[in-house]
Amino acid sequence: MLDETTRMNLLYDFYGPLLTGRQRNVMELYFHEDWSFGEIADHLGISRQGVFEAVKRSRTVLEDLEKELGLLSKHIRRKEIAEAILDQLEGLPEKEAVRRLLDELLELD
Amino acid sequence: MLDETTRMNLLYDFYGPLLTGRQRNVMELYFHEDWSFGEIADHLGISRQGVFEAVKRSRTVLEDLEKELGLLSKHIRRKEIAEAILDQLEGLPEKEAVRRLLDELLELD
């Protein structure tokens, strides 16, 4: 299981473009930069309660998008399949070229 | 290049869950079932203009989502990389097992 911060950062990577500008600001400072509600409130000139509400709302939006599109769970499954492919090629000289292609494929996520 | 209907059907596959129920209805009948505006209007009990507007709006929503998330273009690129991986394994007995895994991976899209 992913911890909450890692999960939110990943969901943000996948769905961030669908949040509003304000939601993106708050989520980046809170989950990515690890600022406190108070610091974010001072920085953005809004109340602590406003920051709290924005984080709560953004979380809900991100989790709803994951329920609808499942990009994070697909990403995790793709990584597992890529590992299974490399296991199939253990000891073969072709493995390195395939690994580079799989890396390129996974980086699309 | 994909023709317009194929592109819309693919974008609908990726982003359909993010449309409203009405938009989904109209898009399925128009692009998937190939009904006319008039037929859809009769079926749903709305005006032809209403159907036209719903199709136009849904198209815009789907294209905007593709601009933000790029799931269709990533899907196309993944298929190309999967082909490149199989090319690497030409003539090897491991190729079939890898093909099955790659099929599973691509079907996640």
Side-chain angles (χ1 to χ4, degrees):
Chain A
M1 276 299 284
L2 300 170
D3 72 74
E4 173 67 6
T5 300
T6 306
R7 180 177 172 82
M8 278 299 136
N9 276 318
L10 283 167
L11 290 179
Y12 182 80
D13 286 344
F14 285 112
Y15 304 112
L18 301 186
L19 296 180
T20 66
R22 162 61 54 90
Q23 287 169 341
R24 279 204 299 276
N25 264 338
V26 167
M27 292 301 271
E28 272 174 26
L29 296 174
Y30 188 67
F31 283 105
H32 195 67
E33 303 293 333
D34 202 27
W35 288 22
S36 70
F37 286 156
E39 288 168 329
I40 300 171
D42 287 347
H43 181 71
L44 296 179
I46 58 178
S47 66
R48 285 183 84 261
Q49 181 65 19
V51 176
F52 175 81
E53 294 294 340
V55 168
K56 192 175 153 194
R57 172 75 192 138
S58 304
R59 262 180 146 104
T60 304
V61 171
L62 293 176
E63 291 288 1
D64 284 352
L65 284 164
E66 176 62 9
K67 262 182 223 131
E68 297 292 2
L69 300 185
L71 299 186
L72 174 55
S73 71
K74 289 175 183 179
H75 169 70
I76 291 169
R77 184 70 193 120
R78 272 190 204 103
K79 282 171 69 172
E80 291 168 352
I81 296 173
E83 282 306 313
I85 289 172
L86 293 174
D87 285 349
Q88 287 287 335
L89 304 178
E90 200 50 56
L92 293 179
E94 288 81 0
K95 185 177 176 182
E96 274 318 302
V98 170
R99 183 197 299 279
R100 278 193 298 277
L101 287 163
L102 285 171
D103 284 346
E104 190 188 337
L105 189 149
L106 293 173
E107 274 164 24
L108 290 170
D109 276 338
Chain B
M1 276 300 283
L2 300 169
D3 72 74
E4 172 67 7
T5 300
T6 306
R7 180 177 173 81
M8 277 301 136
N9 276 317
L10 284 168
L11 289 179
Y12 183 80
D13 287 344
F14 285 112
Y15 304 112
L18 302 186
L19 297 179
T20 66
R22 162 61 52 90
Q23 288 169 341
R24 278 203 299 276
N25 265 337
V26 167
M27 292 301 271
E28 272 173 27
L29 296 174
Y30 187 68
F31 284 106
H32 195 66
E33 304 292 335
D34 202 27
W35 289 20
S36 70
F37 285 157
E39 288 168 327
I40 300 170
D42 287 347
H43 181 71
L44 297 180
I46 57 176
S47 65
R48 286 182 83 261
Q49 182 64 20
V51 176
F52 175 81
E53 294 294 339
V55 168
K56 193 175 152 193
R57 173 75 191 137
S58 304
R59 262 180 146 104
T60 304
V61 172
L62 294 176
E63 290 289 1
D64 285 351
L65 284 164
E66 176 63 11
K67 262 182 223 132
E68 298 293 2
L69 300 186
L71 299 186
L72 174 55
S73 71
K74 288 175 183 180
H75 169 69
I76 292 169
R77 184 71 194 119
R78 272 190 204 102
K79 282 171 69 172
E80 290 168 352
I81 296 174
E83 282 306 314
I85 288 172
L86 293 174
D87 284 350
Q88 288 286 335
L89 303 178
E90 201 49 57
L92 293 178
E94 288 81 1
K95 185 176 175 182
E96 276 317 302
V98 171
R99 183 197 299 280
R100 278 193 299 276
L101 287 163
L102 285 171
D103 284 347
E104 190 188 338
L105 189 150
L106 293 173
E107 273 163 24
L108 291 171
D109 276 337

